[in-house]
């Protein structure tokens, strides 16, 4: 059952990447991206809250511990998704997603050090191959000019996504795991509030060329997908070791994203970038299997 959920999670993740790219294409300013994110997170929170209240009328009454974790998790979710969207505005969808996927290294290291989850020598070797693949993808001498702002945005989003996974795992390993639905509902609501606060802090001189209602379908679909994605991923963090869940999850997402980027977004890659992506996929397989 856990592995079926993992497949479902991969499909949801790819859908989320497509939604993020659509938002990136339609966002002409940081201010507008923040507003779209705020509405998207609110829709996600509403969807999960409805399911929570149907199951348990008191399901949104969570413990101080869950509220504290939700406070930090919402900040990392908001930040990582916002930065991922901004990175997609400046660079390739597939390459951005590849860097973003490396966030799985954070919970693997944390799981090994804190929860004593096993990490083999072969997995460590796979991580080094992964870093080599990253070098092939980003080496400007082989692949052409690489934008520094895209690299900074992508790697910051990557790290924050890894921190999000650690916080989800922390909650799933706690005595308050039964509060998962309510915990995530509050988390997504807080992420929506953070996004709206950021929207008001943005430059007031930035103008939005198109009203947000024109992106209603993308936001609605994205909000529903994001709600289920966060719920499934959080549940899986308590059922599978980080060294299995995250490599397989990101490998599947990366492969499907590359295919979608090639077919629908007409993205083309240099020879060394393709080699790097192939090595990256193989190394993630090694990390996940061994």
């Amino acid at each position: 059952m856990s592995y079926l959920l993992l497949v479902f999670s991969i499909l949801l993740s790819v859908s989320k990447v497509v939604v993020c790219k659509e938002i990136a294409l339609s966002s002409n300013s940081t201010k507008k991206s923040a507003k779209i994110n705020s509405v998207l997170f609110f829709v996600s929170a509403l969807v999960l809250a409805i399911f929570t209240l149907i199951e348990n009328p008191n399901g949104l009454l969570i413990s101080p511990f869950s509220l504290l974790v939700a406070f930090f998790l919402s900040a990392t979710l908001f930040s990582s998704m916002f930065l991922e969207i901004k990175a997609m505005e400046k660079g390739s969808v597939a390459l951005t997603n590849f860097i973003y996927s490396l966030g799985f290294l954070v919970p693997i290291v944390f799981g090994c050090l804190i929860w004593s989850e096993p990490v083999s020598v072969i997995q460590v070797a796979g991580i080094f191959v992964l870093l080599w693949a990253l070098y092939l993808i980003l080496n400007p001498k082989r692949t052409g000019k690489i934008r520094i702002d895209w690299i900074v945005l992508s790697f910051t989003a990557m790290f924050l996504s890894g921190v999000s996974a650690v916080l989800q795992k922390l909650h799933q390993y706690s005595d308050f795991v039964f509060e998962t639905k309510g915990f995530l509902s509050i988390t997504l609501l807080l992420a929506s509030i953070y996004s709206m606060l950021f929207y008001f802090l943005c430059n007031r001189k930035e103008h939005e060329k198109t009203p947000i209602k024109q992106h209603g379908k993308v936001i609605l679909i994205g909000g529903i997908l994001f709600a289920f994605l966060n719920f499934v991923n959080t549940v899986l963090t308590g059922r599978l070791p980080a060294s299995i869940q995250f490599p397989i999850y990101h490998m599947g997402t990366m492969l499907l994203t590359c295919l979608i980027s090639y077919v629908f977004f007409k993205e083309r890659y240099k020879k060394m970038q393709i080699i790097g992506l192939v090595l990256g996929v193989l190394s993630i397989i090694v990390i996940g299997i061994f």
Side-chain angles (χ1 to χ4, degrees), residues 238-257:
R239 295 187 182 183
L240 295 174
S243 58
I244 293 178
Q245 178 191 354
F246 295 106
I248 295 176
Y249 167 75
H250 287 300
M251 177 199 68
T253 301
M254 188 170 64
L255 284 173
L256 290 177
T257 299

Side-chain angles (χ1 to χ4, degrees), residues 22-42:
E22 288 298 319
I23 293 175
L25 290 173
S26 62
S27 299
N28 57 291
S29 68
T30 298
K31 190 173 182 179
K32 185 173 182 180
S33 295
K35 183 190 283 189
I36 291 176
N37 268 1
S38 179
V39 179
L40 190 148
F41 279 122
F42 181 78

Side-chain angles (χ1 to χ4, degrees), residues 178-276:
F178 62 92
E179 296 178 340
T180 296
K181 290 189 181 70
F183 159 70
L184 286 177
S185 300
I186 300 300
T187 296
L188 293 170
L189 179 60
L190 287 172
S192 175
I193 294 173
Y194 287 149
S195 299
M196 188 52 65
L197 289 175
F198 186 73
Y199 166 78
F200 286 114
L201 291 174
C202 287
N203 188 349
R204 294 184 179 181
K205 294 181 180 180
E206 287 188 336
H207 297 291
E208 301 170 23
K209 295 180 181 178
T210 55
I212 192 173
K213 63 182 181 181
Q214 289 191 10
H215 314 294
K217 290 182 180 180
V218 173
I219 294 173
L220 178 61
I221 294 172
I224 295 172
L225 291 174
F226 201 61
F228 285 107
L229 175 63
N230 276 279
F231 175 70
V232 172
N233 278 351
T234 301
V235 170
L236 284 173
T237 57
R239 295 187 182 183
L240 295 174
S243 58
I244 293 178
Q245 178 191 354
F246 295 106
I248 295 176
Y249 167 75
H250 287 300
M251 177 199 68
T253 301
M254 188 170 64
L255 284 173
L256 290 177
T257 299
C258 287
L259 179 62
I260 288 174
S261 299
Y262 183 85
V263 175
F264 294 101
F265 297 120
K266 309 301 179 183
E267 292 187 353
R268 301 296 181 262
Y269 315 106
K270 303 290 185 179
K271 182 179 178 180
M272 296 312 302
Q273 289 177 322
I274 294 174
I275 293 174

Side-chain angles (χ1 to χ4, degrees), residues 6 10 94 97-105 108 120 122-134 137 242-255 258 276-290:
L6 187 54
I10 290 170
N97 182 254
F98 174 74
I99 295 174
Y100 186 83
S101 71
L102 299 183
F104 80 87
L105 297 175
I108 285 181
S120 68
I122 297 179
Q123 286 176 322
V124 173
I127 290 173
F128 279 105
V129 174
L130 196 57
L131 295 176
W132 182 33
L134 186 62
I137 290 172
S243 58
I244 293 178
Q245 178 191 354
F246 295 106
I248 295 176
Y249 167 75
H250 287 300
M251 177 199 68
T253 301
M254 188 170 64
L255 284 173
C258 287
L277 284 170
V278 172
L279 280 176
V281 170
L282 293 176
S283 62
I284 290 175
I285 292 174
V286 169
I287 294 170
I289 293 177
F290 297 99

